[in-house]
Amino acid sequence: MSEIRYDIVTGKIAVISTERGKRPHDFKKADVIKNSGVCPFCPGNEPMTPPTLVEFRGEDGMWTLRGFNNKFAAFKKDADAAKHGSELYRADDGYGVAEIIVESQYHDMTLGQMDSEGIENIMKALILRYRDIVKDEKIKYVQMFKNFGANGGASLEHGHWQIMGVSFVPEVLERELKGVERHEAETGRCPYCHIIDEEMKENARIVAENDRFIVICPYASQFAYESWILPKKHAKAFNEMDDDDIRSLSSLLKSLVKKYEDLFDNPPYNIVIHTVPHHDRRDFHWHVEILPRLTTFAGFELATGAYINPTPPEEAASILRLD
Amino acid sequence: MSEIRYDIVTGKIAVISTERGKRPHDFKKADVIKNSGVCPFCPGNEPMTPPTLVEFRGEDGMWTLRGFNNKFAAFKKDADAAKHGSELYRADDGYGVAEIIVESQYHDMTLGQMDSEGIENIMKALILRYRDIVKDEKIKYVQMFKNFGANGGASLEHGHWQIMGVSFVPEVLERELKGVERHEAETGRCPYCHIIDEEMKENARIVAENDRFIVICPYASQFAYESWILPKKHAKAFNEMDDDDIRSLSSLLKSLVKKYEDLFDNPPYNIVIHTVPHHDRRDFHWHVEILPRLTTFAGFELATGAYINPTPPEEAASILRLD
């Protein structure tokens, strides 16, 4: 029998349906990005990409991480953020920024293969770019994310993250912000703090934890083997992490991604960071979502907005659990 | 420069970004469903599937279309529609129905290869099953859809449609219903009727039309080459089509799907029908959405709910146009 679960913050529906009884090996499938020719993200090919915006260097003087504008940007500053369209149809210019962070100098290195320090540098680079981007008050929200694998929407093999600063607060964030507001009004508590307490009590969906962060498979997981990393202490903004936070997060993220890579043989996935919109005064509890792309959205999901998930989060957590 | 477009009914955002300048041939990619062994949907293998719920027969007495319960159902009637969960987490049983309509007796025949009469029979079968399913007042909404291709989420090659009757009104429908309500309150007109008038005036996004239906690429298309088929005359419910409506719709749908098949070499797609929830008294304008799966949702789409579409709907319409 399947179960319809409601996300406490957003109200989004996940249908937990185990009819097909999928275990990790059932999800393994070919996921190959076919890049031919020279990789623009490899050392030596910097002229193929826009100028450096952020970089870290190793002892040998070579860069170990490098950030720059996305050459194929969906959002640009040459737009004037003007509104146009007809009486019926409304449109704005695609004002904003789109940047790339190349994770390392190694073409084939996966996130799970990197050392924890390498991941710390990614987090630091994201924060540096974030702080610079939000100086522009026309940027209402900055989405930081990673696509991995062809079915994760990555078009280049070489490991990288993306940063998109946009002139609007996207609806998924707006729903989470409203959900926080509502739950706080009703119960006096942040729903994410409430979730963390409940998960620590139930201990049915915890994947890992350390002093500062907890990893859970969320109760209403829309994706099979979805997991969230949340700071245990209430905090609105990703970009306000201190060095210890960054160290704690990076060490968990490394182990978690390695576990996915081992279990599912380098599956496609997305990692997305939800943080409070910079100029928004509402409360929030920032978090990271790891969304494995093991199943394909089909007509039902696209038509209804409800997601059928073949793996109960309780089972996913027990399989993902880090020891 | 890219453009942020807002769907007039739902407010959903599409970012029309032509940076990568994709034309039909750029989207072609391998999309293979790997079925091995016997096809349960082929004639002679009926014992592999649940009992027949609807069928049409040809002159030779063989079935030409056949419907039955989905063996791997996400929704079933043995659930008791009970609510459960904790104070924090809410869940319902997955009460409902999940059915399959096998389009034809031919394993490899695509929708675009069928004759218009075959498609009429699919529409008639969907309506017959719909009318039966909604007799159960616990079913609040019936989603009818077709998945085609591996990247369309189909798990079997043999052409089929799905019907899922669920105990809730899904959020996408709820947004469309609310959008209709709001636009009618503000302007006195159904927004879909308004869209049809505007499109006929502008003539920039029309793909085809006949006496009863119009095909457009919607102004805020979230998918590259997305198209909608709308009845020209305001009508709330798919299931209230008369024989002439069915004939008009089927002939357009056949030509449209054939055009996609030819242009993109049998691309993966979803076809979804949005109709008024049966026991809902609100107004609606039913329609069919054809969602080609030419690009992959990536981190940005999943994190924000805003979709980046590389093909302006005006260009899509000019390429899809049926003569």
Side-chain angles (χ1 to χ4, degrees):
Chain A
M1 199 193 63
S2 71
E3 194 175 65
I4 298 165
R5 295 188 178 187
Y6 300 87
D7 182 276
I8 175 83
V9 185
T10 60
K12 277 189 200 167
I13 283 178
V15 181
I16 310 296
S17 171
T18 56
E19 285 304 314
R20 290 172 196 253
K22 290 197 171 174
R23 303 279 299 178
H25 71 269
D26 297 318
F27 288 113
K28 285 181 191 169
K29 59 180 175 184
D31 180 83
V32 180
I33 301 175
K34 281 180 201 131
N35 290 161
S36 53
V38 175
C39 171
F41 293 176
C42 274
N45 303 331
E46 293 81 1
M48 295 176 70
T49 58
T52 302
L53 290 171
V54 61
E55 66 176 8
F56 295 126
R57 289 182 179 274
E59 287 172 6
D60 58 1
M62 279 280 292
W63 60 260
T64 55
L65 170 152
R66 186 171 166 261
F68 42 84
N69 279 320
N70 192 334
K71 210 168 166 177
F72 304 100
F75 303 98
K76 282 184 185 170
K77 291 224 176 179
D78 62 7
D80 60 4
K83 295 191 187 307
H84 42 91
S86 64
E87 180 211 344
L88 186 66
Y89 295 136
R90 195 162 72 79
D92 301 333
D93 284 347
Y95 183 87
V97 298
E99 300 185 8
I100 301 283
I101 302 279
V102 175
E103 288 175 345
S104 81
Q105 65 271 62
Y106 305 109
H107 184 82
D108 287 322
M109 184 173 272
T110 66
L111 197 63
Q113 287 165 348
M114 291 182 74
D115 57 22
S116 194
E117 202 183 299
I119 298 183
E120 285 172 38
N121 283 337
I122 298 170
M123 298 301 127
K124 286 176 185 168
L126 290 173
I127 291 173
L128 283 171
R129 292 308 308 142
Y130 184 94
R131 289 184 182 154
D132 190 43
I133 291 166
V134 295
K135 283 179 191 158
D136 178 350
E137 296 210 355
K138 283 190 282 185
I139 303 289
K140 301 300 181 204
Y141 181 70
V142 179
Q143 183 59 57
M144 295 164 282
F145 62 99
K146 175 179 169 66
N147 299 334
F148 181 75
N151 286 309
S155 50
L156 289 172
E157 283 169 354
H158 197 130
H160 61 284
W161 289 63
Q162 292 191 58
I163 308 174
M164 292 194 189
V166 295
S167 60
F168 55 93
V169 176
E171 64 172 70
V172 174
L173 265 292
E174 195 56 46
R175 280 174 78 153
E176 292 185 358
L177 285 158
K178 286 212 173 83
V180 169
E181 207 165 32
R182 191 186 53 245
H183 197 81
E184 288 182 349
E186 284 170 10
T187 69
R189 308 177 64 183
C190 160
Y192 293 102
C193 289
H194 199 160
I195 286 170
I196 292 168
D197 285 355
E198 178 78 14
E199 294 301 339
M200 310 252 303
K201 246 182 266 166
E202 274 196 52
N203 196 18
R205 284 172 295 270
I206 296 177
V207 174
E209 59 177 314
N210 61 19
D211 53 334
R212 303 206 173 200
F213 290 88
I214 186 167
V215 185
I216 59 164
C217 291
Y219 177 74
S221 293
Q222 296 195 311
F223 293 77
Y225 293 90
E226 175 177 350
S227 65
W228 293 355
I229 308 179
L230 300 126
K232 286 181 170 174
K233 203 175 144 202
H234 185 75
K236 291 170 67 165
F238 169 81
N239 48 299
E240 284 169 12
M241 278 196 288
D242 65 23
D243 283 350
D244 285 340
D245 290 328
I246 291 174
R247 211 172 294 124
S248 284
L249 173 66
S250 301
S251 120
L252 268 189
L253 186 56
K254 187 238 147 53
S255 312
L256 180 61
V257 172
K258 175 137 193 351
K259 188 78 179 225
Y260 280 109
E261 290 176 0
D262 292 347
L263 277 175
F264 299 100
D265 197 9
N266 293 322
Y269 64 80
N270 303 102
I271 300 179
V272 312
I273 297 171
H274 277 176
T275 188
V276 70
H278 197 70
H279 306 285
D280 201 308
R281 286 161 168 224
R282 286 176 288 181
D283 197 16
F284 196 60
H285 193 128
W286 77 267
H287 56 274
V288 181
E289 301 183 0
I290 294 97
L291 310 172
R293 303 295 293 277
L294 304 170
T295 58
T296 305
F297 304 139
F300 183 76
E301 284 78 11
L302 299 177
T304 65
Y307 290 74
I308 298 174
N309 172 359
T311 309
E314 295 74 21
E315 184 184 323
S318 80
I319 291 172
L320 286 171
R321 193 156 292 155
L322 305 178
D323 298 310
Chain B
M1 200 193 61
S2 71
E3 194 176 65
I4 298 165
R5 294 188 179 187
Y6 301 87
D7 183 275
I8 175 83
V9 185
T10 61
K12 278 189 199 167
I13 283 179
V15 181
I16 311 297
S17 171
T18 56
E19 285 304 315
R20 288 170 199 254
K22 289 195 172 174
R23 302 281 298 179
H25 72 269
D26 297 319
F27 288 113
K28 286 182 191 168
K29 58 181 176 183
D31 179 84
V32 179
I33 300 174
K34 282 181 198 129
N35 289 160
S36 53
V38 174
C39 171
F41 292 176
C42 274
N45 303 333
E46 294 80 3
M48 295 176 72
T49 58
T52 302
L53 291 171
V54 62
E55 67 177 6
F56 295 125
R57 289 181 180 273
E59 285 172 8
D60 59 359
M62 280 280 293
W63 60 261
T64 54
L65 170 154
R66 186 173 166 262
F68 43 83
N69 278 319
N70 191 335
K71 209 168 168 178
F72 304 101
F75 303 98
K76 281 185 188 169
K77 290 224 175 177
D78 62 7
D80 60 4
K83 296 193 184 306
H84 42 88
S86 64
E87 180 211 343
L88 187 66
Y89 295 136
R90 194 161 73 80
D92 302 332
D93 284 347
Y95 183 86
V97 297
E99 300 185 8
I100 301 282
I101 302 279
V102 176
E103 289 174 347
S104 80
Q105 65 271 59
Y106 305 110
H107 185 83
D108 288 322
M109 183 173 273
T110 65
L111 198 61
Q113 287 166 349
M114 291 181 74
D115 56 22
S116 194
E117 200 183 300
I119 298 184
E120 285 172 37
N121 282 337
I122 298 169
M123 298 302 127
K124 286 176 185 169
L126 290 173
I127 291 172
L128 283 170
R129 291 308 309 140
Y130 184 94
R131 289 183 183 155
D132 190 44
I133 291 166
V134 295
K135 284 180 192 158
D136 178 350
E137 295 211 354
K138 282 190 284 185
I139 303 289
K140 301 299 181 207
Y141 181 70
V142 179
Q143 182 59 56
M144 295 164 280
F145 62 99
K146 174 178 170 67
N147 299 334
F148 181 76
N151 286 310
S155 49
L156 289 173
E157 283 168 355
H158 196 129
H160 60 285
W161 289 64
Q162 293 190 58
I163 307 173
M164 292 195 188
V166 295
S167 60
F168 55 92
V169 176
E171 64 172 72
V172 174
L173 265 291
E174 195 55 46
R175 279 174 79 154
E176 292 185 358
L177 286 157
K178 285 210 174 84
V180 169
E181 207 165 30
R182 191 187 52 245
H183 197 81
E184 287 182 350
E186 284 170 11
T187 69
R189 310 177 63 181
C190 160
Y192 292 103
C193 289
H194 200 160
I195 286 170
I196 293 168
D197 284 355
E198 179 78 15
E199 293 301 339
M200 310 248 310
K201 245 182 266 165
E202 275 196 51
N203 196 18
R205 284 172 295 271
I206 296 177
V207 174
E209 60 177 313
N210 61 19
D211 52 335
R212 304 207 172 201
F213 291 88
I214 186 167
V215 185
I216 59 165
C217 291
Y219 177 74
S221 293
Q222 296 196 311
F223 293 77
Y225 294 88
E226 176 177 349
S227 64
W228 293 355
I229 309 178
L230 301 123
K232 285 180 171 176
K233 203 175 143 202
H234 186 73
K236 291 170 68 166
F238 169 80
N239 48 298
E240 284 170 12
M241 277 195 288
D242 64 23
D243 284 350
D244 285 340
D245 290 329
I246 292 174
R247 211 170 296 124
S248 284
L249 173 66
S250 301
S251 120
L252 268 188
L253 186 56
K254 187 238 148 56
S255 311
L256 181 61
V257 172
K258 175 134 193 356
K259 187 81 179 222
Y260 280 109
E261 291 177 359
D262 292 346
L263 276 174
F264 299 101
D265 197 9
N266 292 321
Y269 64 80
N270 304 103
I271 300 178
V272 312
I273 297 171
H274 278 177
T275 188
V276 70
H278 197 71
H279 306 285
D280 201 309
R281 285 159 170 228
R282 286 177 287 181
D283 197 16
F284 196 60
H285 192 128
W286 78 267
H287 55 276
V288 181
E289 302 183 359
I290 293 98
L291 309 171
R293 304 295 294 276
L294 303 170
T295 59
T296 305
F297 304 140
F300 183 74
E301 284 79 9
L302 299 177
T304 65
Y307 290 74
I308 298 173
N309 172 0
T311 309
E314 295 73 22
E315 183 184 325
S318 79
I319 290 172
L320 286 171
R321 193 156 294 154
L322 305 179
D323 299 310

